[in-house]
Amino acid sequence: MEVSYREEGVASAASSAAGRLVADGVPARLAAGDPTLWGEDAEAEAAVRLGWLTLPRSSRELLPVLGELAGRARAAGLTNVVLAGMGGSSLAAQVICDTADVPLTVLDTSDPGQVRRALAEGLESTVLVVSSKSGSTVETDCHLRIYERLFAEAGLAPAGRVVVVTDPGSPLERRAVAAGYDLVLAPHGVGGRYSALSAFGLVPAALAGADVERLLDDAEEVLPLLSLDSGNPGLDLGAALAGAALAGRDKLILEDQLSAITGLPDWIEQLVAESTGKQGRGILPVVAADPAGTDDELVVAIESDVGDVRVDGPLGAQFLVWEYAVAIAGTLLGIDPFDQPNVAESKENTAALLALPDLPTDAPAFADGPVEAYGPVTAKDLPGLFAELLDAVPDDGYLAITAYLDRLAAFDAPVPDGADFEQMTDAWMMADPATLRALLALRTERPVTFGWGPRFLHSTGQYHKGGPQNGVFLQITGAVTEDVAVPGRPYTLGRLQLAQALGDLGALETRGRPAVRLHLTDRAAGVARLLAAAQEA
């Protein structure tokens, strides 16, 4: 595992930051699990959140259990592995499986269309991993309820087809025991975004066929280096992140195009944003974007020379080193890297909205074809609105696009007969809401981020509300034509999804964050209109 600096300014800032950390004995203290590193206010939280430091060794106790679970699933013909989990309960597993090229369906959404896709994938061969640290995550609870009913209606016993991963003492543990589900308990002293090498990352990956023992081997190999004052990749990376941020380079551009690891920036995004975005400060991770060359950017490349910092190493080591680096950066940034004080607000807003007879609806500011605009805007059409939003981004700020839609719907786009892969990719891109990020990024030097709702609420949502007051927000929602009922709950997935969107919008507006919602009355036509408008002068 190696971290190298490729730009003189970064090297100088990192050297200064590392000197301060070493002078305070931080590397050895963190490796030893010292909870006092982040100050008196954070000590109680840190004291019960440092278990990730020993996971490369302690998680080996799971290997026999994982082998047994995977063997039984294969023997029963359960080859379709579905993971119901949000944020830290799903992102690492997805990276592990994508990198290992083993199939895993991840349900980290409340979108009815995306859930219906998963439900259509061979129920008889499905094993469902239900993953929630708190045991009360609303999306995950919905997924479990839906699958339980479908299993029962198909005459399939859920016991033997459901594997629960949760913390000891959670409501989900009690539910699993009562239902006779396979249960794997995760260590209590590990926060969700630091849980990649715990049962949350390992159980679904092992069931899908990934080599999780190799993952732990690679992490354990780097573990002894993390107590050193030199030759410590975690110190080198953490010093670079904190040193650059303190020098004003707090926009973290993540580059991984040449890496053999698939999707690592999505996991890093949650780790960095949720750990540092609080008290009006933080580091903003930007995924799938080209550098703009501005003074506040830090480009970190995974296994590539295109960047200010290069990080090389296998996936297990990457997980551990990034966790260590973010924790160590927190000591210099003056934040508690283990709490998420603003995440609960959107959840509470959602619950309050769901308790109403009907969700509140205002008149749109304007309609542009199949797109309605809501919010304090003066523009009369989408091209004007996009220009208005980009003009509102401060010199040190960013535009965040969040889409509460089916992120697989673009693959339904028609492609010409006989189309080659490039032509198919072009067709999919022009039906993908995420393409809006790239189109708007062409029109500004400021970072443009993109997040799928409600997944980002368990990730960058903390930074949006707790980070610097320099974000401008564009939210996209869509009409639901085929909804999914949630057994035992007085709402559907479609109602939950819209309530989550409105709840987060309210949290942003309460903080004075500029925010606009675009609602697609026809999803496919609406996405096409968004992308066309973004290209209009």
Side-chain angles (χ1 to χ4, degrees):
M1 187 78 195
E2 183 179 3
V3 175
S4 54
Y5 308 141
R6 306 186 58 80
E7 197 266 337
E8 185 177 344
V10 172
S12 177
S15 177
S16 175
R20 291 169 56 188
L21 292 165
V22 169
D24 290 338
V26 171
R29 290 170 60 195
L30 177 54
D34 182 352
T36 67
L37 284 170
W38 300 275
E40 185 176 341
D41 291 343
E43 184 175 347
E45 180 79 20
V48 293
R49 286 291 180 265
L50 292 172
W52 54 272
L53 287 161
T54 60
L55 287 177
R57 292 170 181 156
S58 61
S59 286
R60 292 185 182 280
E61 298 173 2
L62 290 175
L63 293 177
V65 175
L66 299 181
E68 181 184 349
L69 285 174
R72 278 199 279 116
R74 285 192 296 270
L78 304 181
T79 56
N80 178 42
V81 184
V82 178
L83 169 59
M86 302 298 297
S89 296
S90 63
L91 286 167
Q94 184 156 23
V95 176
I96 296 167
C97 291
D98 286 349
T99 300
D101 195 24
V102 295
L104 176 70
T105 298
V106 176
L107 278 183
D108 55 359
T109 181
S110 52
D111 184 81
Q114 194 169 332
V115 172
R116 288 169 67 91
R117 291 174 191 277
L119 299 176
E121 294 296 323
L123 194 66
E124 296 82 2
S125 62
T126 294
V127 56
L128 176 70
V129 182
V130 183
S131 189
S132 170
K133 180 176 175 61
S134 68
S136 58
T137 307
V138 63
E139 302 92 339
T140 306
D141 173 73
C142 290
H143 300 150
L144 176 56
R145 289 171 177 272
I146 291 166
Y147 268 95
E148 284 176 329
R149 171 165 290 183
L150 286 178
F151 283 141
E153 290 175 349
L156 302 171
R161 293 177 176 269
V162 176
V163 180
V164 168
V165 183
T166 190
D167 272 14
S170 78
L172 187 55
E173 180 194 8
R174 295 191 291 273
R175 184 171 174 181
V177 170
Y181 298 151
D182 285 308
L183 174 66
V184 182
L185 294 176
H188 179 71
V190 178
R193 58 189 176 274
Y194 290 83
S195 65
L197 298 172
S198 77
F200 288 108
L202 301 183
V203 170
L207 284 168
D211 185 351
V212 296
E213 185 173 7
R214 174 63 182 273
L215 197 76
L216 296 176
D217 289 344
D218 291 336
E220 187 169 7
E221 187 173 335
V222 80
L223 189 59
L225 303 179
L226 300 184
S227 62
L228 304 179
D229 291 342
S230 63
N232 179 339
L235 172 62
D236 294 340
L237 180 56
L241 297 175
L246 292 171
R249 300 175 67 170
D250 59 353
K251 311 302 187 298
L252 175 62
I253 313 298
L254 294 164
E255 158 64 44
D256 74 331
Q257 293 184 33
L258 299 179
S259 175
I261 300 172
T262 303
L264 186 59
D266 287 333
W267 176 82
I268 295 172
E269 179 183 46
Q270 183 205 19
L271 176 69
V272 172
E274 199 168 45
S275 296
T276 71
K278 55 200 75 171
Q279 300 172 27
R281 67 193 81 155
I283 299 171
L284 175 70
V286 185
V287 176
D290 294 325
T294 57
D295 292 339
D296 59 349
E297 288 181 347
L298 175 72
V299 183
V300 176
I302 311 298
E303 300 181 340
S304 168
D305 287 336
V306 184
D308 305 311
V309 179
R310 174 170 176 156
V311 185
D312 290 277
L315 180 55
Q318 291 271 4
F319 281 144
L320 185 61
V321 165
W322 276 97
E323 289 166 350
Y324 181 99
V326 169
I328 211 168
T331 66
L332 290 177
L333 297 176
I335 52 92
D336 176 357
F338 306 115
D339 69 350
Q340 48 279 332
N342 305 113
V343 168
E345 183 176 353
S346 292
K347 297 179 183 179
E348 292 165 357
N349 288 354
T350 296
L353 288 168
L354 287 174
L356 299 175
D358 296 294
L359 296 178
T361 55
D362 299 322
F366 68 81
D368 186 332
V371 183
E372 297 174 340
Y374 294 84
V377 300
T378 59
K380 301 302 180 184
D381 57 18
L382 286 174
L385 174 62
F386 291 150
E388 192 173 305
L389 289 172
L390 291 171
D391 287 344
V393 179
D395 291 342
D396 63 344
Y398 65 100
L399 172 65
I401 305 171
T402 58
Y404 289 79
L405 301 169
D406 176 358
R407 67 173 176 270
L408 301 178
F411 296 114
D412 295 335
V415 297
D417 291 338
D420 59 23
F421 182 72
E422 184 175 349
Q423 291 170 318
M424 288 190 291
T425 300
D426 289 342
W428 294 332
M429 285 183 60
M430 294 315 297
D432 189 350
T435 302
L436 182 62
R437 189 213 65 76
L439 293 175
L440 294 183
L442 292 173
R443 299 172 53 178
T444 179
E445 290 188 343
R446 303 312 309 149
V448 181
T449 66
F450 185 93
W452 292 104
R455 182 174 81 171
F456 80 89
L457 294 176
H458 302 259
S459 174
T460 52
Q462 168 60 44
Y463 184 96
H464 292 166
K465 294 177 279 291
Q469 179 88 349
N470 59 9
V472 174
F473 299 88
L474 174 61
Q475 183 187 90
I476 307 171
T477 58
V480 172
T481 55
E482 293 185 84
D483 213 338
V484 176
V486 181
R489 291 288 184 254
Y491 50 78
T492 62
L493 286 182
R495 179 178 167 88
L496 171 62
Q497 183 183 42
L498 184 56
Q500 289 175 314
L502 296 177
D504 192 53
L505 198 65
L508 294 170
E509 292 170 344
T510 298
R511 287 174 166 73
R513 263 64 164 172
V516 172
R517 179 169 73 96
L518 299 180
H519 184 71
L520 313 182
T521 56
D522 179 301
R523 291 195 179 198
V527 170
R529 178 59 194 136
L530 290 178
L531 301 188
Q535 298 175 79
E536 296 178 19

